[in-house]
Structures are given as structure tokens and as C-alpha cells.
Amino acid sequence: MSEKRKNVQEIIFYGLLAATILIAIMVALANQIAPHDPLAVDYSMILQKPSAAYPFGTDNMGRCVLSRVIYGLRSSVAMALLITLISFTMGTFLGMVSGYYGRVVDTLIMRITDTLLAFPGLVICIAIVGIMGAGWKNVVIALAISGWVEYARVSRGMVLSLREKEFIKAARSSGCGRVRIMIVHILPNIFQQLLVIATFNIGHLILTFAGLAILGLGEQPPAPELGLMLSESKQFLQLAPWLMVYPGLVMFLVVMLFSLLGDCLRDRMNQKTSQ
Amino acid sequence: MSILEVCDLSIGYGKQRIVRNVSFTLKKGEILAIVGESGSGKSTLLRALIGKTPGGGQVNKGEIIYENQDLTSLNQTQLRKIRGKSIAMIFQSPGGTLNPVRKIGSQFIEAIRTHIEITKAEAYHKALEILTKLHFKNATQIMEAYPFQLSGGMKQRVAIALALALEPDILLADEPTSALDATVQKKVIDEMLELRKHFNTAIIIVTHNICLASYIADKVGVMYLGQFLEFGTAEEILLSPQHPYTRALLDSVPDLSQKKTLTGIEGQRYGFHELPSGCSFSNRCKEGGVSCKDLVPPKTVSDHGHVCICNQLMNHRQDRNAKK
Amino acid sequence: MKRLILKRLLQLGIILLSVSVAVFLLVNLAPGDPAYIKLSAQGETPTNERVEEERIAMGLDQPLHIQYFSWLGQVIQGDFGSSYRTDQPVINTLLKSFPYTLVLALAAFIVMLLISVPLGVLTAVKKNSLADYFIRVLSFFSASLPEFWLALILLYLFALQLKWLPVMGKGELKSMIIPAFSLGVVLSGKYIRQIRTALLEELDADYALGARTRGLTEKTVMYAHIMRNASISILTMLAMSFGALLGGTAVIENMFMWPGMGRMIVEAITWRDIPVIQGFALFMAGVYCLINLMVDLSYGLLDPRIKIRKESGQ
């Protein structure tokens, strides 16, 4: 690859990283940045077009759409990160155990992943949340239950191939304990690839979270949530299309940001390994 | 009468020149072997002959004369009519030119009907004919088979048969036996020799194996970093090699009849981007002098067409004559 | 081939069995007593005695494994129990709404095919051209689009502004256009890229070069050789996506009041109708696994390398 193209890629990567950090700061400082209280109802300001005071307009209860989008993004991102953290830890742990110990443990864990993979799309989440009841806590549990499988499968596969590598054998023969080998020798080798998966998944989780809210299974009104806002905007589509435009646009951009970031990370990783 | 004439051909990728000033002629029914280490540009040269230089390579200079036309000046449509019909090609991976998910028969029919306007049934018979001529015992079964159902040697033989379906004048073979077992190799090579007898096909075979080259070929070109350092009849090359590189290549081949010490070729060859102005073999040459690196070696052509590109050629000749 | 089918069927059986365990155990996640939930779903104000009676009637006093096996026995016979709310057999509810989801998924699938196959092929054939670059950027956009947002945009444009399409429907063809289109477009973003990759892998294969050296036209090489090789994996990939699509229509269905599985399940959830939720999960998993099994087997039929090896029992 030419130097010039490599430099362009570097610039894009750091640009994306900067954008991610910017969003992180924005949602962390939601209280300071949001111009209004996202829940403050003002019936004198119903369905106002975007203006200087309300950059994204107001909804049917006179609430500031921009403020609601910022808070909504905060809960989406926080939720996605929380779920990723849980599934990442759980999946990687179970996958490594499965791959390293093999036998009964492996069979058991792999049967469980087979079972979870037998449900298409959202079905497993809908069923779990449906029975446990709506609300963000149950959504987190449901998404974590269905989310760890991918990490487990990937890390298991990598452990299986790493296990036969010389440096692991050497570590084992020099008396390294199993736990130590896994944490010190194996984990650093598979971490990057899992991180790429996690980055891709964040966008996907944000969409799923919004989808469940639209189904009435996630956050409940009047909470500022992007999916809920979209769902509510439908009634006012003719009168106030901005209610639909902004939450969707923000979600779209954030999802795209994470999938671009995932692409970049993967390319960088591939370059490193091929060098 | 020569059937193919390559004059001063150079092929480059961007600024790097992978093939440099290569010239040779090929007569009808003649076998030319191009010998060299991997990465010496021999496959690129071979592919350029049918206008299929791999990934972005381009002919910078020179001519490829076939039937009074310069192939480098033809467009892809014109080249396509020559490909397969007049000049055919086979590759290293056994039967790699065969499509894995299509029956061999259908690939024969397709290839034949691309160049001649006949019905499918006629093409089928023509294919059977060729296979029978090439001593395939169960030709009809082979026509119905998929490539994966055949052994490696068999696949390569089928690939050769497919290349010969239209009785081309020239067969280009890119390391046709390198991926095969030794016993199968012999069989495929003998078959290629027989081919030449039957169809009077001229063959250009690219190989890194100088023994194979001398066994099969009438003429041998020794290629190093894109240049023919030496070119001559197989006999001359084998028995009285003139270029130090050719000698080094021959010395690295084990010979069971005499006990001799094998010598490899030491050192790293230049990259295409760091070629010296002088001889490209100078950094590994045992017989060269200090000036070889900067001095452009002259091209010496003997009376009967033996070519050698070396600065020290005159000195060597004198040395050897003196010894005599 | 027969042995392969048997082996796959056995695998499917094992997976479905563990799915049934998981679905059965779901009930135990439910906060509250199923008997209580059932009674209140039927409009009673449950007293302690009534709950106790109902528990015995429902077999909830039995040990867990006995409950499971009697439930499984019924499920195998196609009896998924009856709805707490309507007392109707769950299977009827499922079979009533499934065709709607099937039709919607099929329509979305066709939209996806119509977009991703030609564009995927185009980007591969014209690799690194302006068209390739443009389509790839577009596919990246569409893959990141939330399909429910796209649906709203289309609704705004084509139903409210241009008035070409109905805003809402009750399951007729015209009202399906926007939902199907939204699902299909979003999905196609992903598959354009996958088809391109699959084709590019084959583009420089030896057999393609071989076909070119035989003088075949670039068109023949592309369509009779490269596409033919790549099509097997592409077809499989696309067919697998259909199964996933069946489980991904729920959000769109609810936005557009489409009377499919997704709509039905949300209704069941509001009434905490546990047998329906269980039936839904089990049914969807069964359909999904069955589709994937069929795709898997047809893969063997399409690829002579697998088909013949299997037939000769190698």
C-alpha cells in the first residue's frame, strides 16, 4: 500500500476517534449541554419548528427535541456500552474456558450457544423481556444473554488455534499455571479481534435498543429515548416532520460512526498481523 | 521457419522493469525452456506473450511477432481470437485452469465453440477425439467428470488436452510439473514431448528446474532479474555454460553419476527497485570483478546464435584457452 | 446424501430439544405466579383459593421435570397450550399471524435481492471504478440506517407528501410496500458488500485465468465461470438471511400495524400471555432452524464437489 493512502487512512482513523470522544463528552455532559430539561412540558410551545431557542423544534408536549435527543443518545450509548461490557466479559471468559479446558465444559457451553443461535433476530430478546416485563434492566439482561455468544465463539476458536502454538507450549512446559497462561499469554492475543467485534456491535445494540423501545419493551414514556421518540413522531408526521428527522438522523450517524470505526480497527489489525 | 519472434521485450510495473530486453525466436515444433529462480520474471514474460500480464504490468518496449503481426499492438478482442486457438497456456497448479464446478466436457465444448462455429455435438466429438489421441483410456468418463474427481497428474494431463483442443501452434507451460509427484512429472513431460511429435506444437516451458529444462528443451534461456543472461541450445547450456550464473545453477544440482560438492548461490539478489547500472548478478557472482556492478555488460552473440551477457566473458574464454 | 440428511436432522433434533428446555425455563423467569397471571388475564380478581385451584389445574404443583415432559409431549403433538387470555389454542394464533410475517419477509427478501445482486455484481465487475466507489459508500450508508427510521421517511415522502401509497393498511399488498422496502434496503447494504467480496475472491482464481487464456470473452468468464463458482456461496448466504429476516420484522410490523407475528407477540406481552410467548419463541426457532437446514442441504445439491462426495459415501 502506498504511503499516501496509508496516511489518509491514519487521518480517517483519528478523525473517527475524535468524533467518538466528542460524542462521549457530549453525552457525559448532557446536563450542561442540553439547552432545556428533556422532560419539561410546556403547553405554550407545542410542535414548534426548529428555531434558535429550540434548534430541533419541540414535540407535542412542548418538550425540547434537541435536549431529548441528547439525553436519548446518552441512554442509548450507556446501555450499549453496559451490554457490551457484560457480554464481552462473559463471552470471552466462557469462550476461553471452553476452548482451553475442552471436554464436558466445552460441550456444555457450545450446546448453550447453539441453542441461543437457534433463535432468529430479536426473537430471544422479545421473549425474555416479554416474560420478565418491560424496562431497561430487563432489556440489558436479555441483550447480554443473546450477546455473549459471538464473543464466546470467536474467543474459543482463537484459543483452540493458539493452544497449539509454540509459545503457549513453552509457557506450559516451563510450569505456567492454566489461569496464568490464559490471562498473560492468550488474552492479549485475542483481545484486539474481540475489540473489533465489540465496536461493530455497539451500533447494532443501539438499533436493537431503540427497536425494543418501539415495541414498548424498553424504556417507557416519557423517558427521552431515540426509538420511543421516533415511534411517537409518527402521529405528527404531517404536522411536525422534525420530530422524526432528528432522532433518526442522530441514531444513523452514531451507528455509522461505530461501524466505520470497526472497519478501521479491523484494517489496522490486519495490517499489523500481515507485517 | 520461426513461428514466434520476441524482440527486445521489456515489461514494467510502474517504474520497475520486471522483464528487460528479452529476445528470442521459436521455430515450429521447437521446445524452449526458460529457467530461473522464482521472481525472476519468467511467468510475467510468459503471460505477456498472450497479452495477459498479471495485475497492472505493461509492455514498455519491444515486439512479439506472431504470424506477421505484432501481438503487443493488438487489442484484447483481437488477442482473444489468438488465445486458445493459436497460443494456449497451462499452469502450475494441476488442472488449475479447469473450473471446479463444471464438468470437463462442458469446458471442452465451450473452449472449442469459442473459436470454431460448430454444434455442441460436433464439439463433443472433437474433444473425445483429442482425448483419445492423447491416450486417455476412458475419454467418455472423463468428459462427464468434474475436475475434483481426477488425480493431480490426471488433471494436469486433462488441462494440457484442453489447451490443445484447437491444435494451437504454441503451448505456453508455466511450471507445469512443479506441483506433481516425481513419477507423475515424468509421465506428463514425456507426454508433452510426444505432443510435439504429433501436432508439431512449439512449446515454451517455464521452470526453475534446469535438469528438466535440459531434458525436454531444444533451447534454453537462463533468466535472472528479468534478463536472459544466457541463451542457447540445451546442449551448449548444459555442457559448456558460459555465464557464471548458469554455471552456478548447474553446480547447485545434485548429480548421482559423479561425486561432486554441491554449491549453492550465495547472497541475496538485488530487488527490482535497486538494480545497479551494471550487471544485475554482480553481487553474487564468484567470477566477476569489482567493476561489474557499474559496467554495463555487453551482449555477446556467437556465430550460431548463442547469447551471453557478461563483462568477464572474454577473460573467461582466455583463461580457459590458456589452461588448454 | 441420505446420511447427510439424517445427520443434520439429528443435529436439528438436539438443538430443538435444548431450545424447548430454554423456552420452558423462560416461564420461571416470570415475576409472579403463572396461575395468578392467568386468572387476572381472564379478568378475574384472583383470590388465594382460586390461585391454588388453578395451580393444581395447570399442574404447577408437579415437580419441574414432570411439568417439562408433559409440556414437551403436547408440543411434539403440535399443542402449544392455550392462551391465558382467550383460551384459544396457541397454535391457531401462531398460524393465523405467521403468513403475514412470511409474506412481509418474502417481499423484503425480494427487494433485497433485486438491489444487492445486481449492485454487488456491478461493484465486483467494475472494481475500483467510480460506480464501485459510489455504490460501496451508499451500501455503507444503508447498512447503518435504522430501518424504522427509513420507513418513517418513506412514509412521509410517499404517503403524506406524494400520496402514492396508503398511510396505514390492514394487510393488503399496497400497505406492505413501505415496510418491505425499508427492510430490504437496509439489508441490501450488508449483502452488496458480501456479494462483492465473494466475487472478488474468485476473480483472479486460476480457473478464471485459464478460461481467459482459452480465449473466452470477459463476459463468458464472468458469467459462466466466476459467477457460477461464487453463486453457490452467495445463494447460501442470501437464503440464510431469509431466516434471520423472519425474526427481524417485529419492529416494522408494529409501526405499520401489520398483523404478523411481531404484532401478535407484542399484544400477548401486554397481557402477559405466557403460553403465546413460549409458543412464539419455539415456533420461530423451529422455522429458522428448518430453513437453515434446507439451505444447508441444497448447498450440497448445488455444489458438485459436496454432492458427489456425499453420494459416493466418501
Side-chain angles (χ1 to χ4, degrees), chain A residues 12 17 31 37 54 60 64 70 94 101 111 127 146 150 159 193 199 212 214 223 235 239 241 253 264 275:
Chain A
I12 291 175
L17 218 55
N31 302 354
D37 178 352
Y54 296 98
N60 58 318
C64 169
I70 292 174
L94 290 176
Y101 286 89
R111 282 298 144 274
S146 57
E150 193 177 358
V159 168
Q193 197 167 341
T199 314
L212 286 170
I214 293 174
Q235 277 177 274
L239 286 169
L253 290 177
C264 274
Q275 264 167 19

Side-chain angles (χ1 to χ4, degrees), chain C:
Chain C
M1 200 67 195
K2 248 184 202 163
R3 265 180 54 190
L4 177 79
I5 295 178
L6 276 178
K7 201 178 144 198
R8 286 292 143 83
L9 276 176
L10 193 71
Q11 283 174 347
L12 180 75
I14 294 173
I15 288 181
L16 285 182
L17 208 63
S18 50
V19 164
S20 77
V21 175
V23 167
F24 174 76
L25 290 178
L26 260 183
V27 188
N28 293 314
L29 286 175
D33 187 344
Y36 184 93
I37 296 169
K38 181 175 181 181
L39 288 175
S40 31
Q42 287 171 341
E44 271 187 53
T45 320
T47 58
N48 281 347
E49 297 99 69
R50 281 290 292 129
V51 170
E52 210 43 51
E53 268 175 46
E54 194 59 36
R55 278 183 67 84
I56 292 164
M58 288 165 77
L60 291 175
D61 53 336
Q62 305 275 341
L64 212 55
H65 62 275
I66 293 183
Q67 282 184 46
Y68 170 69
F69 284 114
S70 69
W71 175 75
L72 185 67
Q74 288 173 332
V75 165
I76 287 170
Q77 291 162 34
D79 178 7
F80 288 61
S82 356
S83 157
Y84 284 174
R85 184 164 62 101
T86 59
D87 234 4
Q88 292 286 313
V90 170
I91 189 75
N92 292 0
T93 320
L94 294 176
L95 290 179
K96 206 174 80 193
S97 41
F98 183 63
Y100 287 97
T101 294
L102 193 65
V103 168
L104 177 60
L106 208 61
F109 186 67
I110 291 169
V111 171
M112 186 268 276
L113 285 184
L114 289 178
I115 297 174
S116 61
V117 173
L119 291 187
V121 172
L122 185 72
T123 52
V125 176
K126 307 250 176 231
K127 190 177 99 179
N128 292 337
S129 68
L130 202 65
D132 174 30
Y133 186 72
F134 184 68
I135 294 169
R136 270 162 66 201
V137 170
L138 268 189
S139 76
F140 207 94
F141 282 150
S142 76
S144 307
L145 268 178
E147 73 258 3
F148 35 84
W149 186 47
L150 179 63
L152 287 175
I153 294 174
L154 295 177
L155 193 66
Y156 179 73
L157 289 177
F158 294 102
L160 293 176
Q161 297 300 311
L162 297 168
K163 299 195 190 328
W164 290 348
L165 296 167
V167 177
M168 208 73 67
K170 286 206 173 59
E172 70 268 30
L173 199 66
K174 244 187 167 178
S175 63
M176 200 176 67
I177 294 177
I178 290 177
F181 210 79
S182 318
L183 287 166
V185 166
V186 170
L187 211 57
S188 68
K190 182 176 156 197
Y191 286 101
I192 287 173
R193 292 202 281 170
Q194 293 200 0
I195 290 173
R196 180 176 183 272
T197 316
L199 284 174
L200 286 187
E201 269 170 20
E202 304 280 334
L203 215 52
D204 293 321
D206 271 356
Y207 69 82
L209 182 62
R212 288 186 193 112
T213 62
R214 262 172 259 145
L216 306 187
T217 59
E218 206 44 46
K219 232 186 196 161
T220 316
V221 175
M222 190 70 208
Y223 293 101
H225 290 266
I226 292 172
M227 292 275 254
R228 184 136 170 191
N229 272 274
S231 67
I232 300 169
S233 57
I234 291 176
L235 277 179
T236 317
M237 190 170 82
L238 291 175
M240 293 271 185
S241 82
F242 181 68
L245 194 56
L246 278 178
T249 57
V251 177
I252 288 283
E253 280 184 15
N254 277 279
M255 280 195 120
F256 286 82
M257 304 292 173
W258 185 258
M261 297 289 264
R263 184 95 197 94
M264 183 268 318
I265 189 64
V266 166
E267 210 167 289
I269 287 171
T270 29
W271 291 97
R272 311 213 55 199
D273 204 338
I274 292 172
V276 178
I277 302 174
Q278 276 183 315
F280 163 77
L282 205 54
F283 185 82
M284 292 305 263
V287 171
Y288 183 55
C289 290
L290 213 62
I291 289 177
N292 286 355
L293 174 75
M294 290 195 303
V295 174
D296 207 15
L297 292 178
S298 55
Y299 181 83
L301 288 176
L302 283 171
D303 190 336
R305 279 167 292 189
I306 296 177
K307 184 185 164 198
I308 291 174
R309 222 164 280 168
K310 291 283 157 44
E311 272 169 1
S312 58
Q314 275 173 336

